[in-house]
Amino acid sequence: MKVAVLAEAAGETRVSAIPETVKKFAALGASVAVERGAGLAATISDADFEAAGATTGTRPEVLDGADLIFSVTGPEPASLAGAKEGALLVGALDPLRRRDVIEAYASAGIEALALEWMPRITRAQSMDILSSQSNLSGYKAVVDAAAAFGRAFPMMMTAAGTVHPAKLFVMGVGVAGLQAIATGRRLGAQVSATDVRSATREQIQSLGAKPIFVEGVQGIEGEGQGGYAGETSAEYQKAQAELVSGHIAKQDIVITTALIPGRPAPRLISDAQLATMKPGSVIVDLAAEAGGNVEGCVAGETVQLHGVKIIGAVQLARTLPADASALFSRNIANFVAAFWDKDAGRLALPDDDEIVSAVRLTKNGKIVNARLTG
Ligand code: NAD
């Protein structure tokens, strides 16, 4: 069994294996070939990979005879020329936005597995790239907000007078939101948070933050379907908008993370609400790529509206390449270990397994995933 680890395209700083996971694959009996320079942006040299037991080489050399191909983002299909028929490609393949690429993998006989479609079940937690990367994004959103804010976060009582603590509001308390709350608290901000899922109220309190919830109108009971939020009723949305209007004018920093799978991100802050915020306030919109939670937000840019800086954050995990690569690589290694057939010395992916059927996109030259075929 040969594993190929690809160097990423420009703009992607992460890598899909680290020396620790190379050793794990070697322990399973696999050989690992890493494309030269693949780890450099994540501060892993070719020598580091070689010391862990990998070989390094050119793209054609690492692809030659590989059974498993790892990549953080889906490689251009043409760059996989020479890969063997039936090779498994594992990574974050962005299937809904890159359907043509997935079709090209299928035609080339590549069996593509999109790890971002990992189901939210306990067994899959250690393989979940969305969680591992969102956690880092939640942290970095607060750090970036602090850097863009012209004032301090913690309360400081000094001989020259008192600096008041910053007020930070987190909207959407999933994996990123929870880490944003924790990071804001560590930096000394006064933190409040809201979500549509009632189960998050206790989580917010357990981190020492104040829950801000719509009362008297039903949002989403418990965890929501599969751990995800769905759309809320018009009545709830109106009540939520009123609640936000009352709260947001007092905030210095807002981190928005609200996403609904397969839908545009819900609009949580309108232009009129922005206008009520204090000049110098900072918003980091982690849903920018999905259309944004904040009116006027531009993905990948910082815009200033009504004196408020709105950072349209995109792929923040890429700004922490060493940690992001380590967690991403361990997610892949955990996936491989979970489906490793020791006797055969290869991956065995049963079609009727809940994880396999969720992440597998292509098989035998065809797209087979129900989210793409249905
Ligand atoms: P997500 O990225 O899908 O969404 C971010 C948050 O935004 C969610 O908490 C969601 O409820 C919230 N949201 C949606 N619409 C909103 C609105 N209009 N107003 C306010 N908030 C809104 O969420 P996520 O980070 O992927 O996590 C969702 C849940 O799934 C969490 O409870 C998490 O712990 C769980 N989870 C479980 C597993 C697993 O068991 N393997 C893996 C990952 C996440």
Side-chain angles (χ1 to χ4, degrees):
M1 167 72 63
K2 177 178 171 183
V3 173
V5 178
L6 302 187
E8 301 292 324
E12 178 54 79
T13 56
R14 296 166 292 179
V15 61
S16 53
I18 55 171
E20 174 194 307
T21 61
V22 166
K23 287 183 193 161
K24 282 193 180 150
F25 297 122
L28 293 176
S31 65
V32 182
V34 179
E35 189 173 350
R36 260 184 224 120
L40 288 180
T43 62
I44 306 168
S45 67
D46 291 347
D48 293 332
F49 278 122
E50 285 161 10
T55 58
T56 55
T58 61
R59 170 77 55 108
E61 283 166 351
V62 300
L63 281 180
D64 185 33
D67 307 281
L68 270 172
I69 304 169
F70 297 162
S71 183
V72 175
T73 45
E76 282 311 313
S79 75
L80 294 180
K84 84 178 184 193
E85 177 120 19
L88 287 164
L89 171 67
V90 183
L93 306 181
D94 202 3
L96 293 179
R97 280 193 288 192
R98 301 184 79 210
R99 200 194 162 97
D100 52 332
V101 168
I102 309 303
E103 270 162 13
Y105 294 151
S107 317
I110 301 284
E111 307 219 343
L113 305 171
L115 287 198
E116 66 265 58
W117 281 3
M118 195 60 69
R120 300 192 149 199
I121 53 174
T122 307
R123 182 164 66 99
Q125 257 170 356
S126 67
M127 314 169 203
D128 188 347
I129 56 169
L130 287 188
S131 291
S132 72
Q133 307 301 295
S134 293
N135 178 51
L136 291 171
S137 302
Y139 157 79
K140 195 62 192 305
V142 176
V143 171
D144 285 353
F149 187 44
R151 296 170 49 200
F153 265 36
M155 176 161 158
M156 297 182 209
M157 296 174 80
T158 80
T162 301
V163 172
H164 295 286
K167 291 196 173 72
L168 185 152
F169 182 36
V170 176
M171 304 184 76
V173 186
V175 178
L178 284 172
Q179 187 55 255
I181 295 173
T183 305
R185 293 269 300 148
R186 284 183 205 118
L187 286 176
Q190 273 180 8
V191 184
S192 56
T194 192
D195 199 292
V196 287
R197 291 181 298 116
S198 63
T200 59
R201 185 191 288 263
E202 230 173 83
Q203 296 164 357
I204 294 166
Q205 280 165 330
S206 73
L207 288 171
K210 187 175 172 202
I212 305 287
F213 275 72
V214 170
E215 305 292 348
V217 186
Q218 191 169 320
I220 293 170
E221 283 310 304
E223 290 286 5
Q225 178 116 34
Y228 286 110
E231 296 237 45
T232 48
S233 65
E235 189 190 7
Y236 182 93
Q237 285 170 21
K238 187 168 169 277
Q240 187 186 36
E242 279 164 17
L243 180 80
V244 170
S245 293
H247 190 64
I248 209 156
K250 297 175 228 141
Q251 303 305 309
D252 299 299
I253 309 287
V254 181
I255 310 289
T256 66
T257 79
L259 291 171
I260 300 172
R263 304 267 178 86
R267 182 53 46 84
L268 301 183
I269 302 179
S270 67
D271 185 68
Q273 287 167 326
L274 275 179
T276 68
M277 291 184 73
K278 289 177 270 182
S281 303
V282 178
I283 301 180
V284 179
D285 189 341
L286 282 178
E289 262 187 301
N293 293 142
V294 182
E295 189 171 355
C297 165
V298 181
E301 288 181 27
T302 299
V303 295
Q304 190 140 344
L305 295 172
H306 307 291
V308 179
K309 268 186 210 160
I310 304 160
I311 302 175
V314 171
Q315 300 274 0
L316 278 192
R318 284 183 184 161
T319 64
L320 299 164
D323 287 326
S325 299
L327 299 182
F328 195 104
S329 300
R330 291 191 195 114
N331 291 144
I332 292 187
N334 291 333
F335 172 73
V336 171
F339 292 98
W340 191 256
D341 180 336
K342 276 195 199 117
D343 298 329
R346 61 179 184 83
L347 258 194
L349 297 174
D351 284 333
D352 60 353
D353 184 280
E354 189 180 358
I355 292 176
V356 175
S357 61
V359 302
R360 189 193 267 287
L361 305 180
T362 62
K363 191 175 183 181
N364 299 331
K366 289 201 181 77
I367 290 185
V368 292
N369 193 293
R371 284 173 76 176
L372 292 173
T373 54

